[in-house]
Amino acid sequence: MPTLFQDRCGISLYDAQYSRGGRKGPIPKEIIQQVLAALKGFKRTCEDFGVSDVRVVATEATREAINSVDYRQAIEDATGWEVEMLAKEEEGKMGALGIASSFSGVRNLLLDLGGGSVQLSWVVTANGEAETPPRGAVSLPYGAAALSRLLVEVEGQGSQATQDLQQKITDQFRQAIYDLDIPSAVINAAKRENGLALYLSGGGFRGWGYILMASHPVQPYPIPLINGFCVPIASFLPNTDIQSTVDNSIFRISSRRASQVPAVSFLITSLVAALPAIATVYFAQGGLREGLLFSTLPPSIRSQHPLVTATAPFAPSSTEALVELLRSGIPAHETSGSPARWDLLCPEFLVDDAFLTSVIHLVNAHAPLPKDIRAAAALRSTTTGILANAHGLAHQERALLGLVLCERWGGELSSADSDFLEKMQQLVGANEAWWAKYIGRLAQGVGECYPAGMKGESRLRLQAKWESKGGAAVVVVKVAGYTGPWADDLAKLSKKKNQVKRQDGLKIELEVSTGPW
């Protein structure tokens, strides 16, 4: 869903209730005044945009506040907006839908870490419908702020008390997993992927994600968005090296988030002990707000692929025909003719309908720009450009699309942008980076041949297949119709300087022929 405006106020209602001597008290008057000032400012913004349908939704921190009734009444008196209080079960469901809105096709476990609690759930999405646990998410009282306070108390009692707490939380996670009655769709997905994928949301987990970005093998990490960031379980686990470098100098880590790192680390250790089948961890920006919005959309809209939806405003005419033209230049995965080395094949994601459609949507989106910056703007379009606010994209998708679009405009970059290109290539891997170049150069031919979309006569034909020649895997490409310099650039991908370095030294050979066929 396109967003006109968004803002947040950095107030933790949970922390505010424990600000006096560590014991729970009412939400302080000064905090209430800060909230009212922020909401009145937001009301003015709504009026400026002509928005009249407003929902004010409160969750656990308000629900459990000693002065909850007075606090909500103060908001209504100041703004005229009635505060809608979500029940614990509904809060868990909306949080799950928020994560579902952050990705395309989720069939996995979810964890949402707030200040006072952590909620464990699962979601299965298909055809715009989202299934969540019938009995709701399982909530445990170990939010980032709550567990931080508890750890201070327990650590004062000695190491055995800390170990006992670790075991207690682990056992509670195991019971929560049992109580969730995980459906076969999630279990089958885990078997196909050789392990469970775990999706995380909430400020505490997002903070951990930014810490992992700062210690990622690719440095500086090229995509500064938490949504879609993914790590294998081995990288996700806490270790002393990571924790010793944590401070508020890390991007998006405030002093408050840095202080919660020991608690988040403690929680992660218990979680992984309770659920050793985790293989991959994804971080999501989507939370309760996104889940509430997602729940109001009809299935026909929720089922749309986020990448296709985000790029649709730039779509040329005859998109489907242009997608098929582009696809015809990519060698298919066949039992005969394809290389024995599976890692030489074009990754399935790059020939996915949604990905190729988004490439065609954007094939000429940067044409109005000066020639000097088209490739650079296209490269950065998925991180800080026209797709920066696109929801539901994994980092691999952002990086690959940026690399393809960069090559569509010839790939000529300044030294500063060349460094960024190298980081994006490292992020996706050598084979994926080479195929991104390949598809990008095909897209260059399609874009140049049809600058306004396919309007009538056929101007370009492509055909591609695998052949084995002299023990080498060779992509044989035939081009008919409009050729131009782009076809020569495509052929040059076999040259050493255009091969992305692989540790095994292998490369993909390429033969390009032009003319009638």
Side-chain angles (χ1 to χ4, degrees):
M1 178 181 289
T3 302
L4 290 176
F5 176 85
Q6 60 179 319
D7 197 7
R8 72 183 299 273
C9 185
I11 298 173
S12 169
L13 289 182
Y14 184 90
D15 287 350
Q17 294 174 65
Y18 288 90
S19 61
R20 298 171 181 174
R23 293 186 177 183
K24 183 174 181 178
I27 302 173
K29 291 181 179 179
E30 61 271 20
I31 296 298
I32 293 176
Q33 290 305 313
Q34 291 177 31
V35 171
L36 296 181
L39 287 175
K40 285 189 284 188
F42 184 66
K43 183 176 183 179
R44 291 192 296 270
T45 300
C46 290
E47 292 169 351
D48 290 344
F49 279 107
V51 174
S52 57
D53 186 5
V54 178
R55 288 179 73 184
V56 180
V57 180
T59 56
E60 182 183 31
T62 299
R63 188 172 59 242
E64 302 297 329
I66 294 172
N67 56 341
S68 176
V69 174
D70 292 340
Y71 171 61
R72 286 180 281 140
Q73 188 60 52
I75 292 174
E76 185 172 356
D77 292 343
T79 64
W81 294 334
E82 183 178 354
V83 179
E84 179 183 341
M85 183 74 75
L86 284 188
K88 181 193 297 185
E89 296 75 18
E90 188 69 6
E91 181 179 344
K93 181 178 180 180
M94 291 301 107
L97 291 179
I99 294 177
S101 76
S102 297
F103 298 91
S104 176
V106 179
R107 292 178 177 84
N108 277 295
L109 293 179
L110 320 172
L111 228 64
D112 187 356
L113 180 62
S117 65
V118 58
Q119 301 207 12
L120 184 66
S121 184
W122 53 260
V123 68
V124 175
T125 59
N127 302 318
E129 300 290 352
E131 182 186 1
T132 57
R135 290 180 290 179
V138 177
S139 181
L140 300 177
Y142 303 117
L147 186 54
S148 294
R149 290 177 43 253
L150 183 56
L151 278 177
V152 171
E153 295 176 12
V154 169
E155 287 170 354
Q157 301 170 21
S159 59
Q160 186 59 52
T162 303
Q163 292 175 26
D164 291 345
L165 176 62
Q166 188 93 74
Q167 187 60 51
K168 177 183 177 182
I169 297 175
T170 300
D171 292 342
Q172 287 179 309
F173 268 129
R174 288 197 180 106
Q175 185 62 46
I177 293 164
Y178 177 80
D179 292 342
L180 280 175
D181 193 18
I182 298 173
S184 58
V186 173
I187 295 171
N188 292 337
K191 291 178 180 178
R192 289 194 301 271
E193 301 299 327
N194 298 315
L196 283 168
L198 182 66
Y199 289 76
L200 305 179
S201 69
F205 281 140
R206 286 195 290 269
W208 186 254
Y210 281 115
I211 290 168
L212 295 181
M213 274 189 196
S215 60
H216 195 276
V218 178
Q219 288 297 321
Y221 191 81
I223 302 177
L225 299 164
I226 194 61
N227 194 72
F229 180 55
C230 170
V231 293
I233 188 62
S235 300
F236 176 68
L237 292 171
N239 62 65
T240 53
D241 289 339
I242 292 177
Q243 294 184 68
S244 64
T245 60
V246 173
D247 57 42
N248 60 0
S249 66
I250 295 176
F251 178 66
R252 299 291 292 160
I253 297 296
S254 63
S255 297
R256 175 171 167 268
R257 285 284 177 237
S259 70
Q260 293 175 346
V261 165
V264 175
S265 172
F266 195 87
L267 189 72
I268 288 170
T269 301
S270 290
L271 170 67
V272 175
L275 194 60
I278 300 171
T280 311
V281 178
Y282 290 86
F283 292 85
Q285 181 66 46
L288 183 79
R289 177 176 57 184
E290 289 77 12
L292 285 165
L293 290 170
F294 194 63
S295 69
T296 65
L297 302 176
S300 60
I301 294 180
R302 291 203 301 252
S303 63
Q304 295 175 4
H305 195 286
L307 193 53
V308 174
T309 303
T311 57
F314 307 96
S317 60
S318 306
T319 291
E320 291 184 7
L322 292 176
V323 168
E324 290 311 307
L325 173 60
L326 181 61
R327 189 192 304 278
S328 67
I330 304 170
H333 295 192
E334 300 173 353
T335 54
S336 61
S338 296
R341 288 291 301 269
W342 64 269
D343 56 339
L344 292 177
L345 292 169
C346 183
E348 291 186 8
F349 170 75
L350 286 172
V351 293
D352 179 74
D353 283 341
F355 185 82
L356 293 182
T357 299
S358 68
V359 171
I360 290 300
H361 281 174
L362 297 174
V363 73
N364 284 312
H366 296 92
L369 301 181
K371 184 177 181 180
D372 317 57
I373 62 170
R374 287 174 185 166
L379 176 64
R380 295 180 183 271
S381 63
T382 58
T383 52
T384 55
I386 56 179
L387 290 184
N389 69 337
H391 204 51
L393 307 184
H395 284 200
Q396 188 88 345
E397 295 171 313
R398 289 185 185 274
L400 286 169
L401 184 55
L403 291 171
V404 168
L405 295 175
C406 177
E407 285 298 322
R408 181 269 173 264
W409 294 106
E412 186 177 0
L413 301 168
S414 69
S415 57
D417 291 312
S418 294
D419 291 341
F420 182 75
L421 172 74
E422 182 179 353
K423 301 306 178 188
M424 295 282 264
Q425 290 175 336
Q426 291 175 4
L427 185 61
V428 301
N431 190 60
E432 288 80 358
W434 189 90
W435 281 106
K437 276 189 175 185
Y438 178 85
I439 294 173
R441 296 195 179 184
L442 289 178
Q444 183 179 5
V446 173
E448 290 180 2
C449 193
Y450 299 102
M454 196 176 286
K455 298 293 186 180
E457 81 283 1
S458 174
R459 303 172 190 168
L460 178 65
R461 293 176 64 198
L462 300 170
Q463 185 183 80
K465 63 179 181 178
W466 285 101
E467 289 188 5
S468 179
K469 296 187 177 181
V474 181
V475 179
V476 178
V477 185
K478 293 184 178 181
V479 181
Y482 171 75
T483 54
W486 72 270
D488 295 332
D489 291 339
L490 179 66
K492 292 175 183 176
L493 281 180
S494 276
K495 293 188 176 182
K496 185 176 180 180
K497 69 175 184 177
N498 288 317
Q499 289 282 339
V500 180
K501 293 181 180 179
R502 297 173 55 101
Q503 291 182 346
D504 55 20
L506 291 175
K507 70 174 186 176
I508 303 172
E509 300 286 350
L510 189 63
E511 290 184 6
V512 179
S513 61
T514 59
W517 45 278

Short mmCIF file of all heavy atoms in Angstrom, two decimals, residues 294-333:
data_model
loop_
_atom_site.label_atom_id
_atom_site.label_comp_id
_atom_site.label_asym_id
_atom_site.label_seq_id
_atom_site.Cartn_x
_atom_site.Cartn_y
_atom_site.Cartn_z
N PHE A 294 -3.06 -4.21 6.52
CA PHE A 294 -3.11 -5.39 5.65
C PHE A 294 -4.43 -6.12 5.82
O PHE A 294 -5.01 -6.63 4.85
CB PHE A 294 -1.93 -6.30 5.99
CG PHE A 294 -1.65 -7.37 4.98
CD1 PHE A 294 -1.27 -7.04 3.69
CD2 PHE A 294 -1.72 -8.72 5.32
CE1 PHE A 294 -0.99 -8.03 2.75
CE2 PHE A 294 -1.45 -9.71 4.40
CZ PHE A 294 -1.08 -9.36 3.10
N SER A 295 -4.93 -6.17 7.05
CA SER A 295 -6.17 -6.91 7.33
C SER A 295 -7.38 -6.25 6.69
O SER A 295 -8.40 -6.91 6.48
CB SER A 295 -6.38 -7.04 8.83
OG SER A 295 -6.69 -5.78 9.42
N THR A 296 -7.30 -4.96 6.39
CA THR A 296 -8.44 -4.25 5.79
C THR A 296 -8.50 -4.41 4.28
O THR A 296 -9.52 -4.06 3.67
CB THR A 296 -8.37 -2.75 6.12
OG1 THR A 296 -7.21 -2.17 5.51
CG2 THR A 296 -8.32 -2.52 7.62
N LEU A 297 -7.43 -4.92 3.67
CA LEU A 297 -7.39 -5.05 2.21
C LEU A 297 -8.09 -6.33 1.77
O LEU A 297 -7.99 -7.36 2.44
CB LEU A 297 -5.95 -5.06 1.71
CG LEU A 297 -5.09 -3.85 2.05
CD1 LEU A 297 -3.66 -4.07 1.58
CD2 LEU A 297 -5.66 -2.59 1.44
N PRO A 298 -8.77 -6.31 0.63
CA PRO A 298 -9.40 -7.53 0.14
C PRO A 298 -8.33 -8.52 -0.34
O PRO A 298 -7.22 -8.12 -0.71
CB PRO A 298 -10.26 -7.04 -1.04
CG PRO A 298 -9.62 -5.77 -1.47
CD PRO A 298 -9.05 -5.15 -0.23
N PRO A 299 -8.65 -9.82 -0.35
CA PRO A 299 -7.67 -10.83 -0.79
C PRO A 299 -7.11 -10.56 -2.18
O PRO A 299 -5.95 -10.88 -2.45
CB PRO A 299 -8.48 -12.13 -0.75
CG PRO A 299 -9.52 -11.89 0.28
CD PRO A 299 -9.88 -10.43 0.15
N SER A 300 -7.91 -9.98 -3.06
CA SER A 300 -7.44 -9.71 -4.43
C SER A 300 -6.26 -8.74 -4.44
O SER A 300 -5.40 -8.82 -5.32
CB SER A 300 -8.58 -9.13 -5.27
OG SER A 300 -9.06 -7.91 -4.70
N ILE A 301 -6.21 -7.85 -3.47
CA ILE A 301 -5.07 -6.92 -3.36
C ILE A 301 -3.94 -7.54 -2.55
O ILE A 301 -2.76 -7.43 -2.92
CB ILE A 301 -5.53 -5.59 -2.74
CG1 ILE A 301 -6.50 -4.88 -3.68
CG2 ILE A 301 -4.33 -4.69 -2.43
CD1 ILE A 301 -7.02 -3.55 -3.16
N ARG A 302 -4.29 -8.22 -1.47
CA ARG A 302 -3.24 -8.84 -0.64
C ARG A 302 -2.45 -9.89 -1.41
O ARG A 302 -1.28 -10.14 -1.10
CB ARG A 302 -3.86 -9.49 0.60
CG ARG A 302 -4.42 -8.50 1.61
CD ARG A 302 -4.48 -9.12 2.99
NE ARG A 302 -5.30 -10.31 3.06
CZ ARG A 302 -6.50 -10.38 3.65
NH1 ARG A 302 -7.02 -9.30 4.19
NH2 ARG A 302 -7.17 -11.50 3.68
N SER A 303 -3.06 -10.51 -2.41
CA SER A 303 -2.39 -11.57 -3.17
C SER A 303 -1.41 -11.03 -4.20
O SER A 303 -0.62 -11.79 -4.77
CB SER A 303 -3.42 -12.46 -3.87
OG SER A 303 -4.15 -11.71 -4.82
N GLN A 304 -1.45 -9.74 -4.47
CA GLN A 304 -0.55 -9.17 -5.47
C GLN A 304 0.90 -9.25 -4.99
O GLN A 304 1.19 -9.02 -3.82
CB GLN A 304 -0.93 -7.72 -5.76
CG GLN A 304 -2.29 -7.56 -6.41
CD GLN A 304 -2.69 -6.10 -6.56
OE1 GLN A 304 -1.92 -5.20 -6.26
NE2 GLN A 304 -3.90 -5.86 -7.04
N HIS A 305 1.80 -9.55 -5.93
CA HIS A 305 3.21 -9.61 -5.57
C HIS A 305 3.72 -8.20 -5.30
O HIS A 305 3.50 -7.29 -6.10
CB HIS A 305 4.02 -10.24 -6.70
CG HIS A 305 5.40 -10.66 -6.28
ND1 HIS A 305 6.40 -9.75 -6.06
CD2 HIS A 305 5.92 -11.89 -6.02
CE1 HIS A 305 7.49 -10.39 -5.70
NE2 HIS A 305 7.24 -11.69 -5.67
N PRO A 306 4.40 -7.98 -4.16
CA PRO A 306 4.82 -6.62 -3.82
C PRO A 306 5.75 -5.98 -4.84
O PRO A 306 5.70 -4.77 -5.06
CB PRO A 306 5.53 -6.79 -2.47
CG PRO A 306 5.84 -8.25 -2.37
CD PRO A 306 4.78 -8.95 -3.13
N LEU A 307 6.59 -6.78 -5.48
CA LEU A 307 7.53 -6.23 -6.45
C LEU A 307 6.80 -5.76 -7.71
O LEU A 307 7.07 -4.68 -8.24
CB LEU A 307 8.57 -7.30 -6.82
CG LEU A 307 9.81 -6.83 -7.58
CD1 LEU A 307 10.49 -5.67 -6.88
CD2 LEU A 307 10.77 -8.00 -7.75
N VAL A 308 5.84 -6.54 -8.15
CA VAL A 308 5.06 -6.16 -9.33
C VAL A 308 4.21 -4.92 -9.02
O VAL A 308 4.12 -3.98 -9.84
CB VAL A 308 4.16 -7.32 -9.78
CG1 VAL A 308 3.23 -6.88 -10.92
CG2 VAL A 308 5.01 -8.51 -10.22
N THR A 309 3.60 -4.90 -7.85
CA THR A 309 2.76 -3.77 -7.46
C THR A 309 3.58 -2.48 -7.34
O THR A 309 3.14 -1.41 -7.78
CB THR A 309 2.07 -4.06 -6.12
OG1 THR A 309 1.31 -5.27 -6.24
CG2 THR A 309 1.15 -2.93 -5.72
N ALA A 310 4.76 -2.58 -6.76
CA ALA A 310 5.60 -1.39 -6.56
C ALA A 310 6.10 -0.81 -7.88
O ALA A 310 6.29 0.41 -7.99
CB ALA A 310 6.78 -1.73 -5.66
N THR A 311 6.31 -1.66 -8.87
CA THR A 311 6.84 -1.18 -10.15
C THR A 311 5.76 -0.89 -11.18
O THR A 311 6.05 -0.31 -12.24
CB THR A 311 7.81 -2.22 -10.75
OG1 THR A 311 7.14 -3.48 -10.89
CG2 THR A 311 9.03 -2.41 -9.83
N ALA A 312 4.52 -1.26 -10.89
CA ALA A 312 3.42 -1.11 -11.86
C ALA A 312 3.23 0.31 -12.39
O ALA A 312 2.89 0.48 -13.57
CB ALA A 312 2.12 -1.63 -11.25
N PRO A 313 3.43 1.37 -11.58
CA PRO A 313 3.24 2.73 -12.12
C PRO A 313 4.15 3.06 -13.30
O PRO A 313 3.88 4.00 -14.04
CB PRO A 313 3.57 3.63 -10.91
CG PRO A 313 3.28 2.78 -9.72
CD PRO A 313 3.69 1.41 -10.12
N PHE A 314 5.22 2.29 -13.49
CA PHE A 314 6.17 2.58 -14.57
C PHE A 314 5.99 1.63 -15.76
O PHE A 314 6.78 1.67 -16.71
CB PHE A 314 7.61 2.44 -14.05
CG PHE A 314 7.88 3.25 -12.82
CD1 PHE A 314 7.79 2.68 -11.56
CD2 PHE A 314 8.22 4.59 -12.92
CE1 PHE A 314 8.04 3.43 -10.42
CE2 PHE A 314 8.47 5.36 -11.78
CZ PHE A 314 8.38 4.77 -10.53
N ALA A 315 4.95 0.79 -15.71
CA ALA A 315 4.80 -0.27 -16.71
C ALA A 315 4.56 0.29 -18.11
O ALA A 315 3.75 1.20 -18.30
CB ALA A 315 3.65 -1.18 -16.32
N PRO A 316 5.26 -0.26 -19.13
CA PRO A 316 4.99 0.13 -20.52
C PRO A 316 3.78 -0.63 -21.05
O PRO A 316 3.27 -1.55 -20.39
CB PRO A 316 6.27 -0.30 -21.23
CG PRO A 316 6.73 -1.50 -20.46
CD PRO A 316 6.35 -1.23 -19.02
N SER A 317 3.34 -0.28 -22.22
CA SER A 317 2.27 -1.06 -22.85
C SER A 317 2.83 -2.42 -23.27
O SER A 317 4.04 -2.57 -23.47
CB SER A 317 1.71 -0.32 -24.06
OG SER A 317 2.73 -0.10 -25.02
N SER A 318 1.95 -3.40 -23.39
CA SER A 318 2.34 -4.74 -23.81
C SER A 318 3.38 -5.37 -22.88
O SER A 318 4.33 -6.02 -23.33
CB SER A 318 2.89 -4.73 -25.25
OG SER A 318 1.98 -4.13 -26.13
N THR A 319 3.19 -5.18 -21.58
CA THR A 319 4.14 -5.73 -20.62
C THR A 319 4.32 -7.23 -20.78
O THR A 319 5.45 -7.74 -20.78
CB THR A 319 3.69 -5.40 -19.18
OG1 THR A 319 3.81 -4.00 -18.96
CG2 THR A 319 4.55 -6.13 -18.16
N GLU A 320 3.21 -7.97 -20.90
CA GLU A 320 3.30 -9.43 -20.98
C GLU A 320 4.13 -9.88 -22.17
O GLU A 320 4.97 -10.80 -22.06
CB GLU A 320 1.90 -10.04 -21.04
CG GLU A 320 1.11 -9.89 -19.74
CD GLU A 320 -0.23 -10.60 -19.81
OE1 GLU A 320 -0.48 -11.31 -20.81
OE2 GLU A 320 -1.04 -10.45 -18.88
N ALA A 321 3.94 -9.25 -23.32
CA ALA A 321 4.70 -9.63 -24.51
C ALA A 321 6.18 -9.33 -24.34
O ALA A 321 7.04 -10.11 -24.76
CB ALA A 321 4.15 -8.88 -25.73
N LEU A 322 6.49 -8.22 -23.70
CA LEU A 322 7.89 -7.86 -23.47
C LEU A 322 8.54 -8.80 -22.45
O LEU A 322 9.72 -9.12 -22.57
CB LEU A 322 7.99 -6.41 -23.00
CG LEU A 322 7.62 -5.34 -24.04
CD1 LEU A 322 7.68 -3.95 -23.41
CD2 LEU A 322 8.54 -5.42 -25.25
N VAL A 323 7.77 -9.24 -21.46
CA VAL A 323 8.30 -10.21 -20.50
C VAL A 323 8.66 -11.51 -21.21
O VAL A 323 9.74 -12.09 -20.97
CB VAL A 323 7.28 -10.48 -19.36
CG1 VAL A 323 7.71 -11.69 -18.53
CG2 VAL A 323 7.15 -9.25 -18.47
N GLU A 324 7.79 -11.98 -22.09
CA GLU A 324 8.07 -13.22 -22.82
C GLU A 324 9.26 -13.06 -23.75
O GLU A 324 10.05 -14.00 -23.94
CB GLU A 324 6.83 -13.67 -23.60
CG GLU A 324 5.71 -14.18 -22.70
CD GLU A 324 6.21 -15.20 -21.69
OE1 GLU A 324 6.85 -16.19 -22.12
OE2 GLU A 324 5.98 -15.02 -20.48
N LEU A 325 9.40 -11.88 -24.34
CA LEU A 325 10.58 -11.62 -25.18
C LEU A 325 11.85 -11.69 -24.35
O LEU A 325 12.83 -12.34 -24.75
CB LEU A 325 10.45 -10.24 -25.83
CG LEU A 325 11.67 -9.74 -26.62
CD1 LEU A 325 11.99 -10.70 -27.78
CD2 LEU A 325 11.43 -8.32 -27.15
N LEU A 326 11.84 -11.06 -23.20
CA LEU A 326 13.01 -11.10 -22.33
C LEU A 326 13.30 -12.53 -21.87
O LEU A 326 14.45 -12.98 -21.88
CB LEU A 326 12.77 -10.20 -21.11
CG LEU A 326 13.90 -10.09 -20.08
CD1 LEU A 326 15.15 -9.50 -20.73
CD2 LEU A 326 13.46 -9.23 -18.90
N ARG A 327 12.26 -13.26 -21.52
CA ARG A 327 12.43 -14.64 -21.05
C ARG A 327 13.02 -15.54 -22.15
O ARG A 327 13.78 -16.47 -21.86
CB ARG A 327 11.09 -15.20 -20.59
CG ARG A 327 11.22 -16.56 -19.88
CD ARG A 327 9.86 -17.22 -19.71
NE ARG A 327 8.93 -16.36 -19.00
CZ ARG A 327 8.89 -16.25 -17.68
NH1 ARG A 327 9.74 -16.92 -16.94
NH2 ARG A 327 8.00 -15.47 -17.11
N SER A 328 12.67 -15.26 -23.41
CA SER A 328 13.17 -16.10 -24.50
C SER A 328 14.68 -16.01 -24.67
O SER A 328 15.29 -16.87 -25.33
CB SER A 328 12.47 -15.71 -25.82
OG SER A 328 12.85 -14.39 -26.22
N GLY A 329 15.30 -15.00 -24.09
CA GLY A 329 16.75 -14.87 -24.16
C GLY A 329 17.48 -15.53 -23.01
O GLY A 329 18.71 -15.43 -22.91
N ILE A 330 16.75 -16.19 -22.12
CA ILE A 330 17.35 -16.84 -20.95
C ILE A 330 17.25 -18.35 -21.14
O ILE A 330 16.15 -18.88 -21.30
CB ILE A 330 16.62 -16.43 -19.65
CG1 ILE A 330 16.63 -14.90 -19.51
CG2 ILE A 330 17.29 -17.07 -18.44
CD1 ILE A 330 15.73 -14.39 -18.39
N PRO A 331 18.37 -19.08 -21.11
CA PRO A 331 18.31 -20.53 -21.34
C PRO A 331 17.53 -21.23 -20.23
O PRO A 331 17.72 -20.97 -19.05
CB PRO A 331 19.78 -20.95 -21.33
CG PRO A 331 20.49 -19.90 -20.54
CD PRO A 331 19.74 -18.62 -20.82
N ALA A 332 16.65 -22.14 -20.66
CA ALA A 332 15.80 -22.83 -19.70
C ALA A 332 16.58 -23.92 -18.97
O ALA A 332 17.61 -24.40 -19.45
CB ALA A 332 14.60 -23.45 -20.42
N HIS A 333 16.09 -24.30 -17.80
CA HIS A 333 16.65 -25.42 -17.06
C HIS A 333 16.11 -26.70 -17.66
O HIS A 333 14.92 -27.01 -17.51
CB HIS A 333 16.25 -25.34 -15.59
CG HIS A 333 16.82 -24.15 -14.88
ND1 HIS A 333 16.79 -24.01 -13.52
CD2 HIS A 333 17.44 -23.03 -15.33
CE1 HIS A 333 17.36 -22.88 -13.17
NE2 HIS A 333 17.75 -22.26 -14.25
#
